[in-house]
Amino acid sequence: MAKLRFSEKNGEVCIHCRFTGSEMLNEAEYRYFIDNRIKGWLIPRSAAADKLEFTGARGIPLMHLLKSGVDTVKYFRIVSNLLDILEVAESCGFNMQNIVLDPEFVTVSPENCEIHLFYLPLWYNESFNDGIVNCLRKISTYAKYTDQSTYDNIDSFMNFVIGMRSFSIQDAKEYIRRSCPGIFGQTYDHRQFSRPASQEQPVRTPKVIPPVQHSGDTHQFNIPKPVKAPVSAVQKPEPKVLPSLSEEKKQPLPELIRHELPRTETKYPTLTRRSTGVTVNISKPVFRIGKERDRVDFCVTENRTVSRVHATIYTRDGSCFIEDNNSTNKTYINGTPLLPEREIKLKNGDVLTLSNEDFDFVDG
């Protein structure tokens, strides 16, 4: 996997990328970003045979801004700017896995929350992108909220995102537009952004390897295949037109008739804290555990070794998955420590340990 490092150069952000393993520069995509200055994207420059530098914006790592504190408007402005850029990139056929979505290397302007991403024009790249949904999880987990109202608004948004069977950028933007009117201002001009011309070929063309399919709710981008069409010397091909952002998508719901609905008792998975005997239902798609009462769904009191938001349980398709939020004293399942920010499926009877606090998991 390529190695990345964030720094500053001549007053601008500079992200250093060094190739490792079997990675190789994709000449056509590299030249495209050199020749076209596109809003929201850093510009690559070859610094050595195995090294690129990305520059072209002033700002700080998104992670730093999140940890300094955000309110509802700032959070949704950051997310909406990110979705704008990704929507254009998706529609124009770039390999979405080559866009770096790690908040440590996403650049943001503290003044106006303008986002800059960068694209790794590499063959055989082991991705820094595990999907837009996981990127939004990280943004929401690491953000420091200025008040309870901000936490509630972001929690509702993430429950909406996790609840989607198939993530849709348009639906997420529509949710933000309804929840925080006025966030969406200037949009990105998709006419500036398209794949390099099909006749441009890289110096070395490796064998095409099908993309790995990820399970869960990680976003799977549908990358359209480039269509070859005759182009005259005078007239350029028409750009791909995106649907209108203001297009109304809501459909009226049929009225429910009470006597036709079967009455069934909902059984939720439960978590029982051994030291106190307290049992709680895991009744939300995103269920947080930790010691900071205002930010979690199960508050672990009287234990300073547990982190503020120690771990998160995600529920989807009838199963529960636990993720350690990079806690200080780790999370364990049946005595085995979990890697941070990696989901592990929970099974009935598992013993979940946060630091030195034991919990019994029972599947509903």
Side-chain angles (χ1 to χ4, degrees), residues 83 133 160 164 166-173 219 249:
L83 293 177
V133 172
F160 172 78
M164 292 188 199
S166 177
F167 179 78
S168 162
I169 292 178
Q170 277 286 346
D171 289 348
K173 290 173 65 175
H219 181 38
K249 294 182 124 185

Side-chain angles (χ1 to χ4, degrees), residues 202-213:
V203 176
R204 294 171 60 194
T205 304
K207 181 180 179 181
V208 177
I209 301 175
V212 177
Q213 299 296 324

Side-chain angles (χ1 to χ4, degrees), residues 48-113:
D50 61 344
K51 184 178 180 182
L52 292 177
E53 290 181 351
F54 295 85
T55 58
R58 298 177 184 272
I60 60 175
L62 175 57
M63 187 69 79
H64 292 188
L65 181 63
L66 296 172
K67 291 183 176 180
S68 69
V70 296
D71 57 16
T72 298
V73 172
K74 180 176 285 189
Y75 172 85
F76 280 136
R77 192 174 299 280
I78 290 169
V79 172
S80 63
N81 287 343
L82 178 66
L83 293 177
D84 269 342
I85 300 174
L86 292 176
E87 182 178 39
V88 174
E90 179 187 29
S91 70
C92 295
F94 273 84
N95 179 3
M96 303 302 288
Q97 293 299 316
N98 278 15
I99 300 173
V100 174
L101 288 182
D102 186 336
E104 293 282 3
F105 298 103
V106 173
T107 300
V108 62
S109 167
E111 291 77 23
N112 57 15
C113 298

Side-chain angles (χ1 to χ4, degrees), residues 252-263:
L253 296 175
E255 186 176 346
L256 297 179
I257 303 175
R258 288 184 179 275
H259 66 268
E260 291 184 356
L261 296 177
R263 295 186 178 182

Side-chain angles (χ1 to χ4, degrees), residues 276-313:
T276 62
V278 173
T279 299
V280 296
N281 290 331
I282 304 173
S283 57
K284 299 173 63 178
V286 182
F287 186 89
R288 298 180 176 90
I289 315 167
K291 68 180 180 184
E292 188 168 340
R293 186 177 301 277
D294 293 339
R295 297 183 61 188
V296 299
D297 304 294
F298 191 170
C299 181
V300 183
T301 58
E302 300 178 0
N303 190 327
R304 297 195 176 194
T305 66
V306 173
S307 296
R308 290 186 176 90
V309 184
H310 196 108
T312 303
I313 295 177

Side-chain angles (χ1 to χ4, degrees), residues 25 27 66-67 78 82 85 126 142 161 183 196 227 230 281 344:
L25 185 68
E27 185 71 20
L66 296 172
K67 291 183 176 180
I78 290 169
L82 178 66
I85 300 174
E126 293 186 36
Y142 289 113
V161 168
I183 285 294
V227 179
N281 290 331
I344 298 295

Side-chain angles (χ1 to χ4, degrees), residues 165-210:
R165 185 164 293 275
S166 177
F167 179 78
S168 162
I169 292 178
Q170 277 286 346
D171 289 348
K173 290 173 65 175
E174 183 62 30
Y175 181 100
I176 296 173
R177 189 178 289 107
R178 292 195 306 266
S179 302
C180 198
I183 285 294
F184 288 89
Q186 181 181 2
T187 57
Y188 292 87
D189 185 358
H190 65 277
R191 291 171 297 179
Q192 304 178 51
F193 189 39
S194 58
R195 283 188 73 91
S198 58
Q199 63 266 25
E200 296 184 37
Q201 297 294 331
V203 176
R204 294 171 60 194
T205 304
K207 181 180 179 181
V208 177
I209 301 175

